[in-house]
Amino acid sequence: MRVIFIGPPGAGKGTQAEVISRQEGIAHISTGDILRKNVAEQTDLGKAAREYMDAGKLVPDEIIIGMMEKRLGEKDCRKGFILDGFPRTVPQAEALEELLDRMGLCLDAVILFQAPDEIVIRRLSGRRVCRSCGAIYNKRSKPPGEDDRCDKCGGTLYQRDDDREEVIKSRLEVYKGQTAPLIGFYRDKGLLVEVDASRESAEVVADINRSVKGSQ
Ligand code: AP5
């Protein structure tokens, strides 16, 4: 299975990617997670990306494309992958197309997570993430266990810097201006599958499984 998840911030791409990648035994590649790790470790990549991320803007295409060329060549991608948060602009989508061509691979589907602004804003304001293993929680829909610690590894939970209200607004605008054009790009290629992401996680996962397995 080789799929892309696109959709507004907070639509549930990371949450459902975690479930499906485990179920299929394929790589879950989140550009946001890779970037946040680099920011935390203060690598050159992290230093270059930080100011864009804090402002809710996109990191420049050349940085992202170089990072993904390297990541997609790693061994765990051979069986398949879910791209969560990449591509996010038309130049990134074109670069991915070229890269997959060179690797002799093709995509099975591009899943569009659809959810209205009020739902994604509510989800993002309640999101908490484990600092150690990256597990995603939500104060309302998926509360963590005791003492606000991660149920899986006991790590501490934190609120992402870009989940502040003013940054969420800017991320939604960036999505509509720079990422939404990908909807037409992939629809024209016959790859787009639209999913109602405002429903419960289990229903969204079942829908994705049905659509992707039907297209393989
Ligand atoms: P990134 O980390 O990719 O952020 P995003 O796309 O804005 O997506 P999110 O992680 O916010 O949302 P999600 O859809 O994964 O939702 P989640 O599953 O967590 O990118 C961050 C930044 O990095 C960008 O702003 C940019 O600066 C940079 N970047 C990354 N990729 C880039 C690229 N390709 N090019 C340039 N720059 C790039 O769910 C949200 C909450 O809702 C959670 O609390 C969850 O528990 C809950 N939830 C999920 N599903 C449900 C459900 N069905 N019902 C109820 N609650 C739910």
Side-chain angles (χ1 to χ4, degrees), residues 26-89:
I26 57 176
H28 168 200
I29 305 176
S30 156
T31 38
D33 285 349
I34 300 174
L35 291 167
R36 278 184 290 280
K37 186 166 183 282
N38 277 276
V39 169
E41 292 170 358
Q42 300 188 1
T43 63
D44 289 344
L45 171 61
K47 285 179 195 157
R50 182 172 195 154
E51 65 172 296
Y52 298 99
M53 297 174 77
D54 283 351
K57 294 184 181 152
L58 293 184
V59 175
D61 286 339
E62 58 277 15
I63 297 183
I64 298 291
I65 292 166
M67 178 180 105
M68 288 305 284
E69 282 198 9
K70 198 164 151 237
R71 181 64 185 92
L72 283 167
E74 289 174 21
K75 202 171 152 194
D76 66 329
C77 295
R78 285 188 200 151
K79 201 177 160 203
F81 48 75
I82 298 174
L83 300 182
D84 162 14
F86 174 84
R88 235 157 154 128
T89 61

Side-chain angles (χ1 to χ4, degrees), residues 85-207:
F86 174 84
R88 235 157 154 128
T89 61
V90 171
Q92 289 183 21
E94 289 166 346
L96 174 65
E97 210 168 27
E98 260 180 57
L99 179 64
L100 293 178
D101 270 355
R102 261 187 281 150
M103 296 168 84
L105 300 174
C106 55
L107 291 168
D108 294 308
V110 176
I111 311 292
L112 171 62
F113 283 60
Q114 289 180 308
D117 286 1
E118 24 337 331
I119 289 192
V120 299
I121 291 168
R122 190 156 26 114
R123 285 183 185 172
L124 290 175
S125 65
R127 173 164 60 187
R128 296 294 179 272
V129 182
C130 174
R131 213 175 272 289
S132 308
C133 73
I136 305 167
Y137 293 89
N138 193 283
K139 281 171 76 178
R140 300 177 197 91
S141 58
K142 194 184 172 198
E146 276 175 35
D147 302 332
D148 256 8
R149 293 214 159 252
C150 176
D151 294 337
K152 293 181 184 156
C153 74
T156 50
L157 304 186
Y158 77 105
Q159 182 166 28
R160 272 170 47 176
D161 286 342
D162 60 354
D163 279 350
R164 285 174 290 126
E165 206 182 313
E166 64 280 16
V167 188
I168 293 175
K169 231 175 112 197
S170 138
R171 288 162 65 203
L172 279 168
E173 278 164 18
V174 167
Y175 173 74
K176 288 170 191 165
Q178 291 179 258
T179 304
L182 291 181
I183 297 171
F185 180 93
Y186 285 119
R187 185 178 283 130
D188 290 348
K189 293 181 186 298
L191 286 168
L192 197 77
V193 173
E194 298 175 43
V195 166
D196 175 3
S198 63
R199 295 163 307 153
E200 281 195 13
S201 293
E203 290 178 75
V204 180
V205 167
D207 228 8

Side-chain angles (χ1 to χ4, degrees), residues 6-17:
I6 58 173
K13 305 179 294 295
T15 301
Q16 321 323 330

Side-chain angles (χ1 to χ4, degrees), residues 1 19-26 79 82 209 213 216:
M1 188 192 273
V19 176
I20 295 174
S21 63
R22 200 168 355 100
Q23 160 205 299
E24 298 294 319
I26 57 176
K79 201 177 160 203
I82 298 174
N209 275 327
K213 290 187 174 151
Q216 277 179 326

